[in-house]
Amino acid sequence: MAEDRDIHLSTPRETSPAFWVTGFVLLVLMPLLNVLPPEDSWLHLSDFSLNRFGKFLAFAILALGLDLIWGYTGILSLGQGVFFGLGAYCMGMHLMLTIGKESVYGSDLPDFMVWNQVKELPLFWKPFYSFPAAVIGAVLVPTVFALVFGFLAFRSRIKGVYFAIITQALALVAWLVFNRNETNLGGTNGLTDFKQLLGFRLSESGTQRALYVITVLCLGGAYVLCQWIIRSRAGKVLIAVRDSEQRVAFSGYAPANYKLFVFVVAAALAGLAGLLYVPQVGIITPAQIGVLPSLEMVIWVAVGGRGTLAGAVLGAVSVNLGRSVLTNYFPELWPFMLGGLFVSVVLLFPDGLVGILHKLRDRISARKSAPLAEGEAQA
Amino acid sequence: MRRSGRSLRLCAVFLLLCSVQDRAAAIELQPSSAPSLSLDQALTQLTSDDETVRETALRTVIEQGDAALIPRLDEIRANADRSVRQAIKPVMDLLKHRANLENPDQDVRRSAATDLGLARRGVAIPWLERAAGKETHKWVRYTMEESAALLRLAADDQATKLEAIDKLAALSSQNAVPSLKELADAGRAASATGRQQELSQAAAAAIERIETWAAWSNAIETIFRGISLSSILLIMSVGLAVVFGLMGVINMAHGELMMVGAYGTFLTQEFFKAFLSPGLFDHYFLLAMPVAFLLAASCGLLLEATVIRFLYGRPLETMLATWGVSLILMQAARVYFGDLTAVVAPAWLNGGQQMMVGVFLPNNRLFVIALSAICVAIIYAVLFRSALGLRVRAVTQNRNMSACLGIPTRKVDAYTFAFGSGLAGVAGWALTLIGNVEPGLGQNYIVDSFMVVVTGGVGKLAGTIVASLGIGGLNKLLEPGLGAVYGKVCILVLVILFLQWRPSGLFAVKGRHADS
């Protein structure tokens, strides 16, 4: 799979203009379109759309991490939903606790604990009264978990299909644990009915707009971080691991350490995505962290174009946009579409949307300077 | 009745005391001092206003009547007032159970014996003992003896009680434990008489004996459940293992091929229901197996030709593509068949075999165990005794050289994949015995079968067998203590730890590859 996938190696050192243009559109233009034009203008971006977009961008942060580990390092992790879920539940627990007396039962405890006759807050909930603890926890818990899991997995050289299957089992088990844990984590219903964050009402469009802006900033930060990793020496080793781990090992590197590092970074980004997702969507349930969601995350990256950071972002946004449009109009059709995406992205366009764009660009430039391109094609 | 005069007198006193609560029990245990009645007289006196007359009549009915009286009793009951109705009902039940003790169906005999034991009517003791003497089926006789001993336990004669306790201990009767506990507790009270203490000691000893036995039979049942689950896992993962081991293809749609097999079984059943005589219905299940195999195998062939053959040597991509196929198949089944479809198991798979006291093995589980053994045998035969098997092994070892020697490698790939898919269909066929046929059928098992394949190692069937035994057995071993969820968590942790020790599974292919 490696031979035709050296696009990133040729990317220039400086950040491309597309990054700044996209950043400007997402960070400045879209919130402005939400605020300034009157509601009936066609330029107006509704609160709903902006909020939905914020959700997709949170997913894009996760996709960046997944691209780092799958696209660049060649390790297929089917358990990314678990790390996402850990981050999301950390934030969800904080939001649950800040509801306070506003809950249906007016108790200090979350509602589901009242139903389940839990008298006292479980110990592991207590740190989440504090907002900084929740934010740090949302990133740190998945990180530590990935560190332990990854250490065990990579040390024993579990790789390829084996690693994919083990992480898939991890997703199944995490789903089971969260699903059956009615008394401590709300079971199937998950955590929901959030009211406020740091004193701001979550139902207000201003709060949601702020959350959107924060998400865009985090995405930008994550993008820069990933780019920095890839352009560093470590990034070169990661790509080398993907192409031939054996050769990397024989050259005197310890591939396991690099793999562990990138796995942990991916988990941290997934946790961050979960942290940003929860206040924007207002609910987190075990259904979002199981086997199928974890696989869908992989497909975001594949559709966008694996091995390019822009592809990961593009894939996460476009697949989710497609999903949210299609499930609205043809709910029965979406699984067919998703299945078809899985098959066609592997068989027909392995480089994803970015690959298609690159091909188009090449074709256009080839038409401009036909004789030169001929020589290139042969090379 | 083997009862001494003293015990009858005691009986009378005791019954006088408790007749208020348990009138029906009083009826049959009183000494028959009342003038004897003919059955016809008794029947007319059942509705008498005088309670003693009525009780004599009821007793006569129980002692002399048989099941033929039930319709007449029913008639009387229909016209009588409430208290009479309440008195007649247990009598009718007794007569019915008594008749059922001679029913040709062993299950009916057995449940009649159980009911008589629970009814706590001493009058049933001789019936049960007579029936037990004639009974040929071991476990029906066991139930009759157990019920008789349970009834004797309620007698008032010390010797009879002790004898009954011994008998129940010898039978390892689980049903006796509550009554025995009562006796044991009664003897420990401060006010207990010497007789009660004697009974209490005997009861305590009996309980211990019964519980030791129960522990053993529990252990045996756990082992059986483990083997049963293991064989289900084995059937499911063996097709996966063939494809993964020999071709390096991880087929995520394997679960959906099982679903295809299960729906094939369902369709065969519907066909039999619609077009063939009901007498043939029991045979549908056997015919459904080839149907399931062929359906799944042809789906596999199609899948190989359209998707998988472009992806050989790229297992991760194959995984994603086949997962997509699985989503499509699942949704197609959901759209076409709806959510739940039940398959009726054939009559010969209902019920089960009693191995020993407290150990009951359901037929369908036994069937699945046997089937998994047969499947493994067939796979061995195909791989190691057939021309196709030889070619498959050759292609696995060195594809290029095989091609040079004239083996059509493309065809071998296709047939191997179709064979593995057919095995998934057979697994689906077997799964209809255990659960519902639903679109999500494959999803419920797929992760487990992957774990089996990974733990077992690629390429060796022995690994799959040992791994499914290990994981299945461990699952059933952990489940009682940890619960299903944490049992599964525990198994995942154990598998990861196991892979620390053997990264490429239990039976890894030996070779000089530092990295494969």
Side-chain angles (χ1 to χ4, degrees):
Chain A
M1 59 172 150
E3 62 278 3
D4 53 5
R5 199 173 302 282
D6 51 2
I7 304 159
H8 46 270
L9 286 178
S10 59
T11 40
R13 283 257 147 200
E14 67 273 11
T15 312
S16 69
F19 174 81
W20 298 113
V21 173
T22 318
F24 174 77
V25 170
L26 290 178
L27 192 62
V28 182
L29 200 59
M30 286 186 54
L32 281 179
L33 286 180
N34 177 238
V35 182
L36 291 181
E39 294 220 356
D40 47 358
S41 156
W42 60 273
L43 271 172
H44 176 76
L45 190 70
S46 70
D47 289 347
F48 172 75
S49 300
L50 191 76
N51 177 239
R52 193 168 64 171
F53 224 75
K55 180 175 99 177
F56 300 161
L57 294 179
F59 283 148
I61 296 176
L62 180 141
L64 279 176
L66 190 57
D67 192 24
L68 218 52
I69 183 156
W70 184 42
Y72 285 94
T73 322
I75 302 167
L76 181 55
S77 162
L78 298 181
Q80 227 53 18
V82 177
F83 304 123
F84 175 78
L86 285 173
Y89 266 87
C90 284
M91 193 61 196
M93 280 152 81
H94 172 70
L95 291 172
M96 212 71 201
L97 290 175
T98 55
I99 299 172
K101 302 276 186 206
E102 278 184 79
S103 61
V104 178
Y105 289 95
S107 156
D108 278 334
L109 290 175
D111 279 341
F112 68 85
M113 288 195 190
V114 180
W115 296 328
N116 286 303
Q117 269 128 39
V118 177
K119 293 279 170 282
E120 206 182 329
L121 200 66
L123 197 63
F124 72 95
W125 275 72
K126 296 221 163 113
F128 293 100
Y129 272 118
S130 126
F131 176 73
V135 171
I136 294 169
V139 180
L140 206 62
V141 171
T143 308
V144 170
F145 191 70
L147 197 66
V148 175
F149 183 86
F151 175 75
L152 287 175
F154 296 127
R155 194 192 63 143
S156 64
R157 290 193 285 168
I158 298 175
K159 63 182 67 161
V161 178
Y162 282 63
F163 187 80
I165 290 171
I166 291 286
T167 47
Q168 193 189 24
L170 180 72
L172 177 76
V173 161
W175 177 77
L176 278 173
V177 168
F178 278 91
N179 221 7
R180 301 287 161 83
N181 213 332
E182 277 94 6
T183 49
N184 285 337
L185 292 167
T188 321
N189 300 325
L191 307 177
T192 185
D193 197 27
F194 310 133
K195 305 282 189 217
Q196 53 159 327
L197 178 61
L198 291 175
F200 298 102
R201 308 297 300 176
L202 282 172
S203 50
E204 273 170 28
S205 57
T207 316
Q208 288 298 335
R209 208 154 41 232
L211 281 169
Y212 169 84
V213 170
I214 292 168
T215 309
V216 176
L217 289 174
C218 285
L219 176 63
Y223 190 93
V224 171
L225 174 76
C226 289
Q227 207 170 38
W228 178 72
I229 289 175
I230 286 159
R231 287 172 181 176
S232 69
R233 275 173 60 88
K236 299 272 186 285
V237 177
L238 294 179
I239 292 160
V241 165
R242 181 189 72 192
D243 294 343
S244 173
E245 188 176 339
Q246 206 183 343
R247 271 183 243 173
V248 175
F250 284 140
S251 311
Y253 291 93
N257 294 347
Y258 287 91
K259 291 196 311 195
L260 184 59
F261 164 71
V262 76
F263 187 61
V264 167
V265 171
L269 288 176
L272 178 65
L275 160 81
L276 293 165
Y277 171 88
V278 165
Q280 297 191 76
V281 178
I283 182 168
I284 178 72
T285 70
Q288 277 140 313
I289 66 179
V291 174
L292 187 59
S294 299
L295 260 150
E296 265 192 71
M297 292 166 185
V298 174
I299 229 52
W300 303 339
V301 177
V303 167
R306 131 178 74 127
T308 55
L309 293 177
V313 176
L314 191 63
V317 173
S318 57
V319 173
N320 279 297
L321 195 63
R323 175 199 197 105
S324 104
V325 170
L326 269 171
T327 45
N328 229 0
Y329 295 108
F330 320 96
E332 297 246 294
L333 224 56
W334 173 244
F336 288 119
M337 296 296 296
L338 188 64
L341 259 186
F342 272 89
V343 178
S344 55
V345 87
V346 169
L347 285 181
L348 305 179
F349 51 109
D351 289 325
L353 294 173
V354 169
I356 294 174
L357 289 179
H358 276 274
K359 256 184 207 151
L360 280 179
R361 195 186 59 191
D362 289 352
R363 199 164 288 174
I364 291 166
S365 60
R367 200 163 291 170
K368 274 184 190 154
S369 52
L372 216 153
E374 227 165 78
E376 251 176 37
Q378 275 164 14
Chain B
M1 273 192 202
R2 294 185 292 149
R3 216 172 256 170
S4 67
R6 197 190 59 180
S7 88
L8 283 176
R9 265 201 311 283
L10 267 168
C11 224
V13 174
F14 172 75
L15 284 167
L16 220 71
L17 287 173
C18 68
S19 63
V20 186
Q21 296 109 343
D22 196 355
R23 195 178 300 284
I27 297 162
E28 70 253 18
L29 290 173
Q30 267 173 358
S32 30
S33 55
S36 61
L37 295 166
S38 78
L39 207 52
D40 283 328
Q41 281 175 312
L43 283 174
T44 51
Q45 286 180 7
L46 274 179
T47 47
S48 157
D49 288 334
D50 185 354
E51 275 196 27
T52 45
V53 174
R54 215 162 64 200
E55 279 168 19
T56 319
L58 278 172
R59 200 185 60 227
T60 315
V61 170
I62 295 174
E63 281 170 359
Q64 299 179 17
D66 52 31
L69 279 181
I70 289 176
R72 285 178 70 185
L73 284 173
D74 218 15
E75 209 174 289
I76 293 169
R77 211 174 129 224
N79 301 320
D81 58 23
R82 194 166 163 272
S83 67
V84 177
R85 277 209 303 275
Q86 274 182 340
I88 293 179
K89 178 75 171 78
V91 173
M92 284 170 63
D93 285 344
L94 274 176
L95 291 178
K96 208 190 298 166
H97 293 325
R98 184 186 182 180
N100 280 344
L101 283 178
E102 278 153 24
N103 194 294
D105 185 344
Q106 62 176 49
D107 289 337
V108 176
R109 290 204 299 277
R110 194 172 178 171
S111 74
T114 313
D115 287 346
L116 282 175
L118 294 175
R120 292 182 176 253
R121 309 285 145 111
V123 72
I125 296 173
W127 304 345
L128 285 165
E129 281 171 352
R130 211 175 310 131
K134 282 188 284 182
E135 184 58 54
T136 51
H137 190 278
K138 190 179 164 197
W139 296 107
V140 179
R141 190 167 65 235
Y142 171 87
T143 313
M144 289 170 173
E145 284 172 356
E146 182 189 25
S147 289
L150 268 175
L151 294 176
R152 283 192 181 284
L153 198 62
D156 289 278
D157 172 39
Q158 182 81 0
T160 316
K161 275 193 163 172
L162 285 172
E163 199 185 311
I165 290 174
D166 271 356
K167 180 77 179 164
L168 288 169
L171 291 171
S172 312
S173 160
Q174 268 303 315
N175 293 333
V177 172
S179 330
L180 287 175
K181 279 219 168 105
E182 248 169 57
L183 281 178
D185 289 343
R188 283 196 206 101
S191 59
T193 60
R195 296 167 141 264
Q196 276 177 326
Q197 281 168 358
E198 191 189 353
L199 279 178
S200 162
Q201 279 163 7
I207 290 174
E208 206 189 312
R209 214 171 132 190
I210 294 172
E211 279 177 352
T212 318
W213 180 267
W216 278 107
S217 59
N218 250 343
I220 293 173
E221 274 212 318
T222 305
I223 292 173
F224 174 74
R225 278 199 300 269
I227 294 177
S228 158
L229 179 65
S230 304
S231 57
I232 294 170
L233 280 178
L234 180 58
I235 289 189
M236 290 182 314
S237 41
V238 83
L240 201 64
V242 166
V243 173
F244 183 35
L246 301 177
M247 306 162 73
V249 166
I250 275 284
N251 180 14
M252 288 288 227
H254 192 77
E256 277 55 48
L257 293 171
M258 286 190 223
M259 179 195 81
V260 167
Y263 276 110
T265 312
F266 170 73
L267 289 177
T268 320
Q269 173 194 274
E270 295 300 292
F271 178 81
F272 267 64
K273 261 189 198 161
F275 297 110
L276 298 175
S277 76
L280 288 170
F281 184 72
D282 260 3
H283 302 293
Y284 91 85
F285 194 70
L286 288 180
L287 189 80
M289 192 194 81
V291 171
F293 181 88
L294 290 176
L295 262 181
S298 39
C299 278
L301 213 53
L302 192 70
L303 180 60
E304 203 272 348
T306 50
V307 177
I308 288 174
R309 78 187 165 104
F310 302 107
L311 299 170
Y312 283 122
R314 292 155 67 190
L316 294 181
E317 276 88 343
T318 324
M319 241 177 136
L320 290 182
T322 47
W323 184 274
V325 173
S326 105
L327 282 180
I328 292 172
L329 283 174
M330 204 167 23
Q331 183 68 4
R334 189 163 288 138
V335 169
Y336 189 76
F337 288 104
D339 254 351
L340 264 184
T341 334
V343 164
V344 184
W348 48 273
L349 280 175
N350 292 332
Q353 308 295 323
Q354 179 113 36
M355 293 310 290
M356 43 195 260
V357 179
V359 179
F360 183 80
L361 312 181
N363 276 342
N364 56 357
R365 301 266 165 178
L366 288 172
F367 176 77
V368 171
I369 293 177
L371 182 72
S372 68
I374 294 170
C375 275
V376 170
I378 290 177
I379 293 163
Y380 263 106
V382 169
L383 283 184
F384 296 99
R385 295 279 178 277
S386 79
L388 175 68
L390 186 66
R391 287 169 180 194
V392 167
R393 283 179 291 140
V395 173
T396 311
Q397 280 177 17
N398 193 330
R399 176 172 294 266
N400 291 337
M401 203 176 283
S402 312
C404 288
L405 292 171
I407 295 173
T409 52
R410 278 283 311 117
K411 266 191 190 164
V412 170
D413 285 338
Y415 291 151
T416 313
F417 195 81
F419 179 62
S421 307
L423 288 174
V426 174
W429 170 70
L431 283 180
T432 58
L433 291 176
I434 287 152
N436 280 317
V437 181
E438 47 170 342
L441 174 97
Q443 295 301 307
N444 300 336
Y445 299 100
I446 193 74
V447 177
D448 286 329
S449 29
F450 278 133
M451 296 286 271
V452 167
V453 173
V454 164
T455 314
V458 185
K460 290 271 165 88
L461 276 176
T464 312
I465 297 169
V466 176
S468 56
L469 275 175
I471 290 183
L474 211 61
N475 207 333
K476 287 295 166 194
L477 202 72
L478 293 173
E479 224 166 57
L482 290 170
V485 172
Y486 290 99
K488 226 172 192 142
V489 174
C490 204
I491 284 177
L492 174 74
V493 172
L494 286 176
V495 166
I496 292 174
L497 292 180
F498 170 79
L499 290 177
Q500 301 293 303
W501 174 52
R502 294 205 148 205
S504 40
L506 202 53
F507 287 75
V509 181
K510 292 194 179 73
R512 283 188 294 169
H513 303 285
D515 190 346
S516 50

